[in-house]
Amino acid sequence: MTVEAFSNFLDLIDPMKILLSKEDLNKIGYPTPSLYGEIQYNLVMNGQVSPPHEFLLRQVNDRLDAYVRKFVHNEVFRDIVIERAKTIMKTGLTFPSDRPFGKKEIEGRVVDFLAVQMIRVTQTIQKTYSPNFEKSDLGPFLRTMREKIEATHQDLAANNIEKLVAKSYLNTFDRHTDVFLSREQKQNTTFQGNGSKTKFGTVSQLSREGFRISNIIKGSAADKAGLLENDILVAYEVGFNSGLWKSYRNLTLEEYGNSLNGEPGTQLRVRVQRNNSEFETIVTREVMSYSKFNVPTPEIRNSPSGPMLGIKLTEFSKDAAAIIKEEISRNLSNNLKGILLDLRGNRGGLTTELSDLLQLFVSRPNSMYTKSGGQVTVHRPDILDWAIWDGPLVILVDQGSASAAEALSAALKSYKRAVVIGGPHTYGKGSMQEYATIGDTTYKYTTTFYYSPNGLPIQWRGVEADIPLPITHRQPLERDERNSLNPKPLASGIPQAPPLITNLETITASLKAKSIERLKRQDIGKTPQEIYSQNYEEAYRILADWVEIDPTGNGGW
């Protein structure tokens, strides 16, 4: 067993490098070659997990339980964590990359970890960057920690040890190659389906009182029941017309989700807090396509030159392209002047939807190339058609834009059809994985790489924004991850995508200069949420600038 594989194993069971010390590793003979030999021989030859693995897992479990109990029941320790959180808010914190030496250093890192978690939960609840910790914040915080602890215990269960060791091996070859733990395998099975599930129609956040609705999908079950954004769900009836109520205040996110789900057509009575009053309402559950959630209600903005359409796409799910096409077509008769497509946080999805969506803006395109085992394949829409929009098009991305979201951005850049803003780089996930089940274990392995219509790989390199905007918060990119694959560009001979807007470089340079000048005069927000909103507004300003510079947006196309 290599040092790297064993290091991966340690990171799987103690990812924050908090609970296992160098003293623990010395007890099992780390880093002597004989230790790796013993571990590898037992696993491969005998199908058994070595005592060193069991020792480390037991240490993680015991310490995790001990410190959480200490936080819950020991008021002195709890005050230490709260005071540390206040200090971190002022000075910041970077977790060390090495492991602690012994018990005292472990406790210091546990305090830091708990303090950071408390800050995050409290900020979510209070929607402010300077949390004033109160006793009422501890309930939601403990609920969040309970979820993490339950997940950790499932990962570290005795029947998962062999899979954890297998994970440590596989991750040394390719970070996307994996073997699923029991909990992960169950989730993977749960979320696979035919593209439709019973949905409540809300996006909610933890709050002191219950779960606050931050977004409502138009036409959803919750919308039809009269629920509004900022409503707080405080309780639900266990069994319709039973008269038995259960509070949402003490539920985990998973339990909250389970309470909302049910058979289509069944009803759920919920108690809602709106402003300073409470009321009850009945929600009738219904099946709703994923796309209805992943394509929120578009927004129309007016500019001096005319209306502009903003569309946010959170995932390339089934029928997403058709829904967006319908929205664009509906607004064409209103003298539409520009389109903003927001792909921030979009982690990808169906490549067929990517091809269909690209064709709304590029007639009969090659959407991308894929390479698998030396075989290069060109991808096009199933039904070739003509573009319905040839005007100004701005694509807004960030470091969370990945996979199909990057492939679409790369294609539009290759065709010189749109201006990509945000970033400054997308995530860099340009690979495809397949699944295989052997016995009761499911494996995932990389088979394919994505390339832009100009033959450049999306994997590792990502897509660079034409006009960079402030970063909300630094996210690890694919290139930052250990064992990330970095394929070479496709060989010459691949047909290059023809430029559709011949003067796009000139337009982009002008838009970039105007944006830089605006940002110099603007106070950049201090919180990720503020920067996120400011970038959205700046995206609209850039689109409005383009409409003003070149109302046709196509350079005579």
Side-chain angles (χ1 to χ4, degrees), residues 91-368:
T91 62
L93 174 69
T94 301
F95 281 103
S97 58
D98 61 336
R99 295 196 170 274
F101 285 100
K103 182 178 179 181
K104 185 175 181 181
E105 195 175 1
I106 285 177
E107 179 143 323
R109 294 197 188 182
V110 169
V111 169
D112 284 349
F113 173 74
L114 292 173
V116 169
Q117 298 304 309
M118 173 169 278
I119 290 170
R120 288 174 179 168
V121 171
T122 307
Q123 286 178 346
T124 299
I125 294 169
Q126 299 184 353
K127 296 185 177 180
T128 173
Y129 191 64
S130 302
N132 178 25
F133 299 106
E134 302 175 12
K135 281 189 176 181
S136 55
D137 294 328
L138 295 178
F141 167 70
L142 290 175
R143 264 183 281 163
T144 302
M145 288 304 298
R146 179 156 65 93
E147 285 187 314
K148 293 188 176 186
I149 292 160
E150 288 173 355
T152 301
H153 278 310
Q154 289 182 56
D155 284 349
L156 303 184
N159 60 349
N160 271 336
I161 299 178
E162 290 184 18
K163 290 182 182 178
L164 279 167
V165 176
K167 270 180 176 282
S168 68
Y169 275 107
L170 293 173
N171 289 160
T172 63
F173 304 120
D174 166 24
R175 62 176 302 269
H176 295 293
T177 299
D178 207 354
V179 57
F180 288 95
L181 305 175
S182 298
R183 175 177 61 89
E184 297 169 328
Q185 198 159 336
K186 180 180 178 182
Q187 287 179 333
N188 187 55
T189 303
T190 301
F191 293 131
Q192 286 180 348
N194 59 5
S196 296
K197 282 186 180 296
T198 301
K199 293 287 187 179
F200 196 68
T202 62
V203 177
S204 304
Q205 293 181 327
L206 194 65
S207 75
R208 292 173 185 163
E209 297 85 2
F211 286 87
R212 181 184 298 275
I213 297 173
S214 58
N215 188 30
I216 292 225
I217 310 302
K218 187 176 180 180
S220 67
D223 182 39
K224 293 174 182 176
L227 294 175
L228 303 175
E229 290 183 6
N230 290 318
D231 282 350
I232 298 173
L233 302 182
V234 296
Y236 71 99
E237 189 179 28
V238 183
F240 191 66
N241 284 335
S242 68
L244 300 175
W245 289 83
K246 187 169 184 177
S247 171
Y248 277 125
R249 292 182 178 89
N250 299 316
L251 298 191
T252 66
L253 285 170
E254 183 178 1
E255 291 168 338
Y256 168 69
N258 289 339
S259 75
L260 303 182
N261 294 330
E263 290 296 318
T266 59
Q267 295 181 312
L268 173 69
R269 183 179 278 110
V270 291
R271 189 167 293 151
V272 184
Q273 178 180 317
R274 181 178 295 169
N275 299 324
N276 296 321
S277 62
E278 282 194 8
F279 62 93
E280 294 177 10
T281 189
I282 295 174
V283 181
T284 302
R285 300 181 178 98
E286 61 182 52
V287 172
M288 197 172 183
S289 118
Y290 285 130
S291 298
K292 294 292 184 183
F293 288 84
N294 297 325
V295 188
T297 305
E299 177 187 21
I300 292 291
R301 290 278 187 98
N302 289 316
S303 73
S305 303
M308 302 180 298
L309 175 64
I311 302 172
K312 182 170 180 59
L313 178 63
T314 59
E315 183 182 334
F316 287 76
S317 56
K318 189 175 184 298
D319 298 328
I323 293 173
I324 292 176
K325 181 179 182 179
E326 181 182 338
E327 290 297 336
I328 296 174
S329 300
R330 182 182 296 122
N331 286 281
L332 286 176
S333 60
N334 298 326
N335 196 27
L336 185 66
K337 293 298 183 181
I339 293 177
L340 166 63
L341 183 59
D342 187 351
L343 299 180
R344 290 177 297 174
N346 186 312
R347 308 301 287 181
L350 301 175
T351 55
T352 52
E353 294 299 323
L354 147 69
S355 296
D356 290 343
L357 187 54
L358 177 64
Q359 191 167 220
L360 300 181
F361 312 114
V362 179
S363 294
R364 305 176 177 235
N366 292 343
S367 54
M368 66 176 176

Side-chain angles (χ1 to χ4, degrees), residues 20-34:
L20 290 178
S21 67
K22 292 182 178 178
E23 187 176 272
D24 297 322
L25 299 183
N26 288 336
K27 289 179 181 177
I28 62 169
Y30 179 84
T32 61
S34 60

